[in-house]
Amino acid sequence: MTSNQHVAIAWEGSRDESLPLQAILRKEGYMFTVEENEDLIRIEVQIENESIRQLRDDVDALLVHFSSLED
């Protein structure tokens, strides 16, 4: 039996702030969910990998993409 690790990354904020994040996720091919509750948007990204090292690299890559919005 093969083990599988996963990490969930969640973000919450306004609809306007969520649009660039959603664009990055779509462009890079990440699977994610979006929940809308009044004026609050919640985005959750699930990242899975059999290798813990590769999982770390995958999470790091996602955070690099998100941090590009701060520049």
Side-chain angles (χ1 to χ4, degrees), residues 33-64:
T33 60
V34 177
E35 296 177 17
E36 192 166 353
N37 185 6
E38 296 180 18
D39 294 332
L40 186 67
I41 300 290
R42 177 182 170 87
I43 298 172
E44 187 169 304
V45 184
Q46 292 280 337
I47 301 175
E48 298 181 6
N49 204 299
E50 292 178 7
S51 162
I52 194 75
R53 286 188 181 113
Q54 186 58 52
L55 179 65
R56 183 193 65 213
D57 291 346
D58 295 344
V59 170
D60 287 348
L62 175 60
L63 295 176
V64 167

Side-chain angles (χ1 to χ4, degrees), residues 22-34:
Q22 291 182 59
I24 287 172
L25 292 168
R26 284 187 189 95
K27 178 183 173 198
E28 299 300 325
Y30 288 97
M31 298 298 292
F32 65 99
T33 60
V34 177

